[in-house]
Amino acid sequence: MIPNTGISLLIPPDAIPRGKIYEVYLTLHKQEDVRLPLAGCQTLLSPIVSCGPPGVLLTRPVILAMGHCVEASAENWSIRLKKQSCEGSWEDVLHLGEEPASELYYCQLEPQACYVFTEQLGRFALVGESLSMAASKRLKLVLFAPASCSSLEYNIRVYCLSDTQDVLKEVIQLEKQMGGQLIGAPRVLHFKDSYHNLRLSIHDMPSSLWKSKLLASYQEIPFYHIWSGLQPYLHCTFTLERLSPSTCELACKIWIWQVEGDGQSFTINLNIAKDTRFSDWLAPDGEAGPAALVGPSAFKIPFLIRQKIISSLDAPCARGADWRTLAQKLNLDSHLSFFALKPSPTAMILNLWEARHFPSGNLAQLAAAVAEVGKQDSSLFAVSEAEC
């Protein structure tokens, strides 16, 4: 995993041929370092991520997890998984929701993240094309200002980011280097494909203590700068000036809205002389566990229990006590045809459960789902004490 980004790679048991040793890597790319051509209403919805080495033989699909910022709906979006070829061109390898299922790729799209099954390692990105003006992306709005200020000028930076963990992590690191601090709880704004720009304004500032150096009534970020998703750190700066060096209290409101669309406001009350870090509003700096886990410790499900579940549920059952029912209980039944193409559909479901719940999965939910399946056939799970 790449800590604090939501990006991870799960390599299931038996995915690497016996006797082979691969030095596997996982890389997050900056958009400016990778040429990803977008046309028309296309927009980058995820980080650009590489897993490798490319071209190696895999006997089972691995699962690449990464965040996305799309408010997905079939009527508003056409979403594709893109993979970069050896020659450098980007190819559509999967059209989400399209039938029949691909044998090489599958993508489980959830509200905040996607899980990509692939037997071919390489560089991937999720790209969407809007089908209506109601299509929207999530923007994360984040405010930063100097942690300490000795001059009369005081800058408030308002970032309008794609709502994925990796971009927020980069901005936090950038602001730390600049001596910035977070001055408000991050908000989410739904930005529609309406061609309307994003506007930002500042209000209710005591004119006897402060003045804004903004000459216009608002600032504006052009629609296409935001919609493409290729400019990750878009922000506007409000430069304020206190009229007296003794003024330390700042109270104001910042409004951010898309013309004829969604909007958010921030109420600011702070003492600029104090270093008040609102760290509770952000994810913790360190995610649990090391960046890489190898062997049995990498998996939540004990290996013998896993094998027992697989052997019990892979075979079709007339009473429905098989892998299809398990997928339904775990809400993973949106694309059963992909699982059915694999030698062990149950293994695919358990692998996806592991990827969704990494690194802090709770086995209780899985155990409850398996128990529900077992109720339909009491002979399914005869587990010995040694297996436990």
Side-chain angles (χ1 to χ4, degrees):
M1 63 185 291
I2 302 176
N4 301 308
T5 64
I7 299 168
S8 65
L9 179 69
L10 180 84
I11 304 172
D14 303 324
I16 295 176
R18 191 175 299 275
K20 296 282 188 181
I21 298 175
Y22 299 151
E23 188 171 328
V24 177
Y25 62 82
L26 183 62
T27 305
L28 169 64
H29 298 280
K30 293 185 177 180
Q31 284 94 327
E32 58 266 30
D33 296 336
V34 178
R35 290 183 59 84
L36 175 60
L38 297 176
C41 297
Q42 288 185 334
T43 172
L44 180 63
L45 300 174
S46 76
I48 301 173
V49 179
S50 289
C51 53
V56 298
L57 176 65
L58 296 172
T59 53
R60 299 285 187 275
V62 300
I63 302 177
L64 174 64
M66 54 187 178
H68 68 75
C69 61
V70 64
E71 289 293 295
S73 60
E75 63 272 18
N76 293 332
W77 284 100
S78 171
I79 301 175
R80 300 172 190 270
L81 177 68
K82 286 184 174 284
K83 181 175 183 287
Q84 192 170 32
S85 69
C86 298
E87 293 77 28
S89 61
W90 286 88
E91 302 169 347
D92 294 341
V93 294
L94 183 67
H95 186 183
L96 274 65
E98 191 178 66
E99 297 287 351
S102 164
E103 291 190 25
L104 292 177
Y105 302 96
Y106 167 64
C107 182
Q108 173 84 13
L109 189 69
E110 301 194 350
Q112 304 282 334
C114 61
Y115 299 89
V116 177
F117 287 74
T118 175
E119 294 181 32
Q120 297 180 354
L121 303 182
R123 184 174 294 173
F124 295 93
L126 202 65
V127 170
E129 184 169 0
S130 64
L131 302 178
S132 79
M133 293 176 71
S136 68
K137 296 173 60 172
R138 294 188 314 276
L139 297 184
K140 181 79 81 176
L141 307 176
V142 196
L143 273 60
F144 284 91
S148 60
C149 180
S150 56
S151 68
L152 293 178
E153 280 193 358
Y154 189 75
N155 293 319
I156 297 176
R157 291 178 290 278
V158 184
Y159 289 86
C160 306
L161 313 171
S162 294
D163 185 19
T164 56
Q165 291 182 46
D166 60 292
V167 180
L168 182 58
K169 176 186 177 181
E170 287 289 327
V171 167
I172 291 170
Q173 291 176 341
L174 178 66
E175 280 291 334
K176 281 182 178 179
Q177 295 170 5
M178 295 167 57
Q181 68 168 344
L182 185 71
I183 61 167
R187 305 281 177 87
V188 171
L189 182 143
H190 295 90
F191 191 77
K192 290 186 176 181
D193 182 21
S194 63
Y195 300 99
H196 288 302
N197 297 340
L198 192 71
R199 289 182 177 175
L200 306 91
S201 61
I202 189 164
H203 304 274
D204 301 341
M205 191 168 51
S207 58
S208 60
L209 300 175
W210 292 87
K211 70 175 182 179
S212 169
K213 291 198 168 185
L214 180 65
L215 299 179
S217 58
Y218 58 83
Q219 298 190 65
E220 201 164 52
I221 301 177
F223 169 82
Y224 286 106
H225 289 189
I226 296 173
W227 190 255
S228 72
L230 296 177
Q231 300 186 45
Y233 314 130
L234 286 172
H235 69 279
C236 284
T237 299
F238 288 98
T239 299
L240 312 179
E241 184 179 356
R242 47 182 173 165
L243 303 182
S244 167
S246 62
T247 299
C248 294
E249 298 296 328
L250 173 61
C252 63
K253 285 187 177 179
I254 291 180
W255 288 87
I256 304 159
W257 74 101
Q258 185 178 18
V259 178
E260 298 185 16
D262 192 18
Q264 291 284 4
S265 68
F266 292 82
T267 300
I268 297 171
N269 285 285
L270 58 86
N271 186 321
I272 68 170
K274 293 181 180 178
D275 184 356
T276 309
R277 300 186 182 277
F278 300 98
S279 56
D280 291 346
W281 289 327
L282 297 175
D285 282 342
E287 289 175 335
L293 292 170
V294 181
S297 64
F299 303 97
K300 288 291 177 183
I301 308 169
F303 183 74
L304 291 177
I305 298 296
R306 171 190 167 91
Q307 294 305 101
K308 184 68 178 179
I309 297 172
I310 290 171
S311 62
S312 300
L313 298 185
D314 267 349
C317 176
R319 289 185 292 275
D322 59 21
W323 62 270
R324 291 175 176 81
T325 306
L326 178 62
Q328 183 181 20
K329 299 292 182 187
L330 295 174
N331 297 316
L332 299 177
D333 54 345
S334 61
H335 221 321
L336 295 180
S337 54
F338 174 80
F339 298 142
L341 291 171
K342 300 303 175 185
S344 173
T346 310
M348 296 297 102
I349 295 168
L350 296 181
N351 294 342
L352 181 52
W353 185 91
E354 292 270 12
R356 290 170 92 197
H357 296 86
F358 180 82
S360 55
N362 184 346
L363 282 171
Q365 181 216 21
L366 178 63
V370 172
E372 283 290 316
V373 178
K375 285 180 183 178
Q376 301 180 41
D377 188 341
S378 58
S379 65
L380 267 181
F381 304 113
V383 181
S384 69
E385 185 175 336
E387 288 176 309
C388 290

